[in-house]
Amino acid sequence: MTLSPGGSGCCLLNDFFFALTKLLGGLGLFIYAMELMSQALQKGAGSKLRGLLQRVTENRWNGLFAGTSLSFLVHSSAATVMIVGFLSAGLMTFTRSIPFMLGANIGTTLSMQLISFKIGKFCYLAIALGLLSSKIFKREILVQSGRAFLGFGLLFLGMSLMSSAISPLKDVQSLNQSGALENSIQWISGATITGLIIGILFWSLFTSIIQSSGATLAICFTLCTQNLFTSFDDLFPCLLGAHIGTCVTAALGSLGGNFRAKRMALAHFVFNVFSTVLACILFELYKYTMPMLGGDLIRQAANANTVIQVSAALLILPFSRTYARFIKKIGPFKKDGMQKSFLDDSLLDTPEMALVAVIKEIRRVSRMNRTMLEISMKSLLAVDTKDLLSVRKMQEALDVLNQSVNHYLLGLAERELSERQSLLVQYLGSCMRSFKRTGDHIETLSQLIDQKIARDIWFDNDDVRRLVVLYKSADRILKLVARSLKPLSSKTESALEALSKEQELYYSESIAIRESFQRRVLDKQFDPLQGIYFNNFLNCFDRVAKHSLAVAEMKKKPLFVVKAEKFELESPKLDLSNPVPIAERNPYGEGKTLEELIKEIEIERKASAKVRAVQVPADVTSAVDVTPEEIPESSGETPAKTKAETTETKAETTETKATTLKEAPSQE
């Protein structure tokens, strides 16, 4: 499509409209492609990326390298959100997150270096290969790799669309004669101080709207391709504005999060402002040195983008702890009492201490569930949804914790463990899953509260009091479960006894409330919509109590104990490098079909049942089978006496049989 240089105003307006929609479509395709690549890489290597974050030590350079690698793979916005998630979950300290944040800023410049190469003509090949790979292969890693390749191709296709949309603008006669394009670019050019400031503000606002610094830089590269940006002065404000505008992503990710996440967002913003000010001071140096590195204007822009971030990061990195203290001092964020994670990879060599760490982590999760439940109920009573966002953020933190605990337990299972420790690893995995489901139902409860308020559904005071009764009982259950999980505590038994009583109390209250609710529904005291929501509230509380009590049942297991005398006992890692060769592996079910296996199992069950029937004690069987007719008449006893003794014998026999059957399970 070309815009007619001398066409009528109506035709020109029409052509301009389609050029604008093509530009916006290309921008949308570019952003979607970046998200597709990010999601595919996270799904394909998500656990490894999380493991990379958790295994990095306090060494600043390791943190910088990890942040750079992560951001290069999944882009800066996804990397920043991932780091914010780790902070919200308490899996990373704020001080330790600073090198990651610096590396994330460097990593996104490296991904833009890749985009600056003129390989757009291969975009269709990448799209075709990526689509085929994602559809043909079955392995998850190959499917996600194909999706990432598909996103890579769509990314360059989006840039091609933007370039073809902008190209006709410079040929429009009316725009050229009036000098509108030159004047507009001059307003946001770095050739003057005023233009530099206005340009930074303009591109910052633009980046904050689209929430993608990569898309902003892609537009910058497109303007260079079409010779609308003809000098380093024109593109420099775009580079700096993209750095500041991308801080919106971290700020939005921290909304509803804890104080660590908010500090991270502030630290990200302050760093990017610092790098922008530093770049403005060194503008003349960059303007002189970037052409010396070679390449066209696009390569100069990509090189300048990398140099700006690397130089600022290297200045901050040696003083990262000081920078963290500075952010803590200027940030007006109150601590919320949330503990940091107890998971520590250095404890894996001493399995008993690692198990204690996991138990403490699960107790921390139970306290998070209590906090989420309390916030939800306060929102219900206040008829206010402003705090419900924090429930969703805490649930996202629980998702991260669940993955981290499972990853930690898998690492622990790779050590040589005793039978008790092996079972305890399984018990703790079940406990974590139960608390994860508890958090899911609490999030559902918060969503119900949000919908109830939005639909203006009203409960009377008696109904609300009934919900408060269930809430208080469920809260006591969560509190007692957390108390019972305290390692080496003398209060464990008393907590479990109290839980048994609380369980009976909860279910009696729940049954009474449900019966009352059903009577009122039959009496038409509830309208259908009220009834649906009230019943859903009851279901949520019942499921919260059910999954919390499942943890208590797991705690009652005889081997759910830790031994202090084994805290210092180290255990080597299992050698998993030589699995059973494929040639030596026996086929599952000895090569039989599923139907054949089911038939064989049924035959074995019937045979086992017959064996158990034959193994009933002979004296019990004979005693049970005795009848009055079978008593010999030559005994000399009177018929009345014989009948009485027979009756007594039957009673004793019945008692003996009942006792035998009761003891049978324990004997087995």
Side-chain angles (χ1 to χ4, degrees):
M1 181 191 69
T2 58
L3 296 178
S4 304
S8 64
C10 182
C11 183
L12 178 62
L13 183 61
N14 184 61
D15 290 344
F16 183 82
F17 170 76
F18 284 109
L20 179 62
T21 55
K22 189 175 182 180
L23 174 64
L24 295 177
L27 178 61
L29 185 60
F30 184 92
I31 295 174
Y32 170 74
M34 293 183 69
E35 292 179 352
L36 181 63
M37 290 175 61
S38 175
Q39 292 171 4
L41 289 167
Q42 288 187 67
K43 289 180 180 178
S47 59
K48 294 182 179 179
L49 293 177
R50 286 186 291 270
L52 173 67
L53 283 176
Q54 289 182 277
R55 283 193 295 271
V56 172
T57 63
E58 294 289 341
N59 187 290
R60 298 182 181 94
W61 293 100
N62 288 346
L64 183 73
F65 173 76
T68 302
S69 303
L70 185 65
S71 180
F72 176 72
L73 290 173
V74 301
H75 200 63
S76 63
S77 57
T80 303
V81 170
M82 189 177 291
I83 295 172
V84 168
F86 270 72
L87 285 168
S88 298
L91 293 170
M92 184 186 297
T93 62
F94 173 66
T95 301
R96 194 174 165 189
S97 70
I98 297 299
F100 283 99
M101 180 266 296
L102 300 178
N105 280 273
I106 295 175
T108 191
T109 68
L110 298 181
S111 61
M112 297 314 297
Q113 286 277 6
L114 184 63
I115 294 174
S116 68
F117 290 103
K118 297 180 179 179
I119 55 177
K121 56 187 176 181
F122 298 105
C123 67
Y124 299 105
L125 176 62
I127 292 172
L129 293 177
L131 183 61
L132 286 174
S133 177
S134 63
K135 297 298 182 182
I136 293 175
F137 296 112
K138 301 300 181 183
R139 289 186 60 186
E140 184 68 14
I141 184 67
L142 295 177
V143 171
Q144 298 304 333
S145 297
R147 287 171 58 84
F149 215 56
L150 174 62
F152 186 74
L154 291 176
L155 184 143
F156 281 98
L157 179 60
M159 286 193 65
S160 177
L161 286 175
M162 287 189 287
S163 178
S164 61
I166 291 176
S167 177
L169 290 175
K170 61 183 181 181
D171 298 326
V172 178
Q173 183 177 0
S174 58
L175 291 177
N176 288 333
Q177 290 176 350
S178 62
L181 285 176
E182 290 78 1
N183 292 334
S184 299
I185 293 174
Q186 191 65 32
W187 269 100
I188 57 175
S189 173
T192 62
I193 295 179
T194 303
L196 179 63
I197 295 174
I198 295 176
I200 292 174
L201 293 176
F202 170 78
W203 290 113
S204 297
L205 179 62
F206 180 81
T207 306
S208 64
I209 293 173
I210 64 175
Q211 296 183 32
S212 174
S213 60
T216 299
L217 294 177
I219 290 178
C220 174
F221 293 166
T222 302
L223 293 173
C224 293
T225 302
Q226 299 302 323
N227 295 322
L228 292 176
F229 280 180
T230 57
S231 67
F232 190 79
D233 295 334
D234 297 334
L235 60 86
F236 193 69
C238 180
L239 302 180
L240 303 185
H243 294 163
I244 296 178
T246 193
C247 297
V248 173
T249 303
L252 292 176
S254 68
L255 291 178
N258 60 18
F259 69 98
R260 295 187 185 94
K262 293 174 181 176
R263 281 176 177 171
M264 176 64 190
L266 178 62
H268 190 224
F269 175 73
V270 171
F271 170 75
N272 281 341
V273 170
F274 167 75
S275 65
T276 298
V277 173
L278 180 64
C280 290
I281 295 173
L282 300 176
F283 172 58
E284 292 297 330
L285 178 63
Y286 290 138
K287 184 177 178 180
Y288 176 74
T289 56
M290 289 303 109
M292 296 174 61
L293 296 178
D296 57 9
L297 197 57
I298 296 178
R299 294 295 308 147
Q300 294 177 29
N303 292 335
N305 191 33
T306 302
V307 171
I308 289 170
Q309 290 297 321
V310 170
S311 58
L314 293 179
L315 285 174
I316 295 292
L317 186 63
F319 310 101
S320 59
R321 289 186 173 85
T322 304
Y323 181 69
R325 288 195 295 269
F326 170 72
I327 296 298
K328 291 178 182 178
K329 187 170 293 186
I330 66 173
F333 308 122
K334 295 182 179 179
K335 294 186 177 181
D336 51 16
M338 182 179 176
Q339 293 176 306
K340 67 177 184 179
S341 175
F342 294 97
L343 302 181
D344 186 352
D345 284 350
S346 64
L347 298 176
L348 289 174
D349 292 330
T350 52
E352 202 70 16
M353 295 184 69
L355 289 169
V356 171
V358 175
I359 293 173
K360 290 181 178 179
E361 191 73 359
I362 293 175
R363 290 186 72 228
R364 191 167 73 94
V365 171
S366 71
R367 288 192 287 270
M368 291 175 65
N369 280 331
R370 285 190 68 196
T371 302
M372 292 166 60
L373 190 59
E374 181 183 6
I375 294 173
S376 298
M377 284 305 295
K378 286 183 176 178
S379 299
L380 174 65
L381 295 177
V383 196
D384 193 353
T385 61
K386 66 180 181 181
D387 293 331
L388 292 179
L389 178 60
S390 62
V391 175
R392 183 170 63 84
K393 290 295 181 180
M394 293 183 75
Q395 176 58 26
E396 291 175 358
L398 278 181
D399 292 338
V400 175
L401 276 174
N402 178 54
Q403 295 166 346
S404 299
V405 169
N406 289 333
H407 186 270
Y408 194 82
L409 289 174
L410 287 174
L412 185 57
E414 293 177 352
R415 267 67 180 177
E416 292 184 2
L417 305 178
S418 66
E419 290 82 355
R420 174 188 57 84
Q421 290 173 336
S422 298
L423 282 175
L424 190 51
V425 166
Q426 299 174 33
Y427 295 159
L428 293 177
S430 298
C431 290
M432 187 63 217
R433 286 190 293 273
S434 294
F435 274 140
K436 168 67 170 58
R437 294 189 184 101
T438 302
D440 291 338
H441 292 304
I442 295 174
E443 184 185 24
T444 301
L445 179 66
S446 70
Q447 293 171 353
L448 286 172
I449 294 170
D450 192 14
Q451 295 171 15
K452 171 185 172 297
I453 295 173
R455 289 175 175 268
D456 198 21
I457 299 171
W458 196 257
F459 296 154
D460 61 30
N461 288 332
D462 290 338
D463 295 329
V464 173
R465 289 176 69 87
R466 292 183 181 98
L467 293 178
V468 170
V469 167
L470 288 184
Y471 156 72
K472 190 59 182 175
S473 185
D475 181 68
R476 284 197 298 266
I477 288 173
L478 280 169
K479 182 179 179 181
L480 289 171
V481 170
R483 187 182 299 172
S484 70
L485 288 173
K486 190 173 183 180
L488 303 175
S489 173
S490 59
K491 298 180 179 180
T492 299
E493 294 300 326
S494 61
L496 290 174
E497 292 176 3
L499 265 172
S500 299
K501 298 178 182 178
E502 195 62 46
Q503 179 179 0
E504 295 178 3
L505 178 61
Y506 176 86
Y507 285 122
S508 63
E509 290 173 341
S510 177
I511 291 172
I513 291 174
R514 283 187 178 277
E515 290 177 349
S516 172
F517 168 65
Q518 291 174 2
R519 287 194 301 269
R520 297 177 67 194
V521 169
L522 293 175
D523 293 339
K524 297 185 178 180
Q525 297 180 21
F526 271 105
D527 65 49
L529 200 56
Q530 281 180 315
I532 289 173
Y533 274 87
F534 192 81
N535 183 63
N536 288 338
F537 276 113
L538 297 182
N539 289 336
C540 284
F541 282 118
D542 285 351
R543 288 164 183 163
V544 167
K546 171 188 172 183
H547 291 298
S548 301
L549 289 168
V551 178
E553 291 299 319
M554 197 63 63
K555 183 65 179 71
K556 294 177 183 178
K557 300 283 186 181
L559 295 180
F560 199 116
V561 291
V562 292
K563 298 181 179 180
E565 62 270 17
K566 293 192 175 182
F567 279 174
E568 302 300 326
L569 185 62
E570 295 187 1
S571 179
K573 194 171 183 179
L574 295 173
D575 184 12
L576 303 176
S577 58
N578 297 315
V580 179
I582 296 178
E584 299 179 10
R585 298 179 186 178
N586 295 323
Y588 292 125
E590 299 177 353
K592 298 177 182 177
T593 64
L594 178 62
E595 291 76 11
E596 291 173 342
L597 282 175
I598 292 174
K599 186 176 180 180
E600 185 177 306
I601 291 170
E602 289 298 328
I603 294 173
E604 291 175 356
R605 283 181 176 176
K606 290 178 181 179
S608 178
K610 290 181 180 179
V611 171
R612 285 198 300 270
V614 172
Q615 289 177 347
V616 176
D619 56 341
V620 174
T621 305
S622 60
V624 172
D625 292 339
V626 171
T627 62
E629 291 76 14
E630 295 175 342
I631 299 176
E633 294 181 358
S634 59
S635 62
E637 303 287 341
T638 61
K641 185 176 180 182
T642 303
K643 187 175 182 180
E645 287 182 349
T646 302
T647 304
E648 183 178 352
T649 302
K650 279 189 174 183
E652 291 176 352
T653 301
T654 304
E655 183 179 354
T656 304
K657 182 178 180 182
T659 305
T660 304
L661 294 176
K662 183 184 293 185
E663 293 176 351
S666 62
Q667 291 173 356
E668 290 179 1

